[in-house]
């Protein structure tokens, strides 16, 4: 159901924004946020966070994100089985 999926993504967006606030050095969290914005049709915000993720990666610091955090969007497909 596309409407339900959009609602869940919107709810998750607030949580991922909080994760980025708590861990601003995480390129992984910023990239997840970029995907969420893109999925919600907010392309400019998605591009902004993707660029922030690249800048964070370019800083050369270790990734502080939880290694068990799942990437967004998490889907089962032939490459993730």
């Amino acid at each position: 159901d596309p409407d339900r999926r959009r609602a869940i993504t919107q709810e998750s967006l607030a949580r991922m924004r909080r994760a980025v606030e708590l861990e601003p050095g995480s390129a992984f969290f910023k990239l997840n946020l970029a995907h969420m914005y893109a999925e919600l049709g907010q392309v400019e915000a998605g591009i902004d966070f993707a660029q922030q993720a690249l800048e964070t990666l370019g800083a050369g610091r270790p990734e502080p994100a939880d290694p068990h955090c799942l990437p967004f969007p998490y889907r089962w497909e032939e490459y993730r089985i």
Side-chain angles (χ1 to χ4, degrees):
D1 178 21
D3 292 331
R4 178 79 173 126
R5 181 180 174 143
R6 183 173 178 80
I8 291 170
T9 300
Q10 189 69 43
E11 184 178 319
S12 299
L13 181 77
R15 291 188 175 102
M16 188 55 64
R17 286 185 60 85
R18 182 68 178 139
V20 170
E21 288 172 13
L22 293 172
E23 204 57 79
S26 174
F28 183 75
F29 289 162
K30 290 175 184 176
L31 191 57
N32 270 354
L33 195 53
H35 279 280
M36 288 176 178
Y37 274 119
E39 182 146 319
L40 292 170
Q42 298 176 30
V43 178
E44 293 295 323
I47 291 171
D48 181 49
F49 275 99
Q51 289 174 332
Q52 287 183 39
L54 286 173
E55 291 168 10
T56 302
L57 284 172
R61 290 186 300 266
E63 173 61 43
D66 180 350
H68 297 105
C69 183
L70 298 175
F72 182 88
Y74 191 76
R75 297 184 182 112
W76 288 105
E77 54 192 42
E78 61 209 59
Y79 297 108
R80 294 193 183 191
I81 295 178

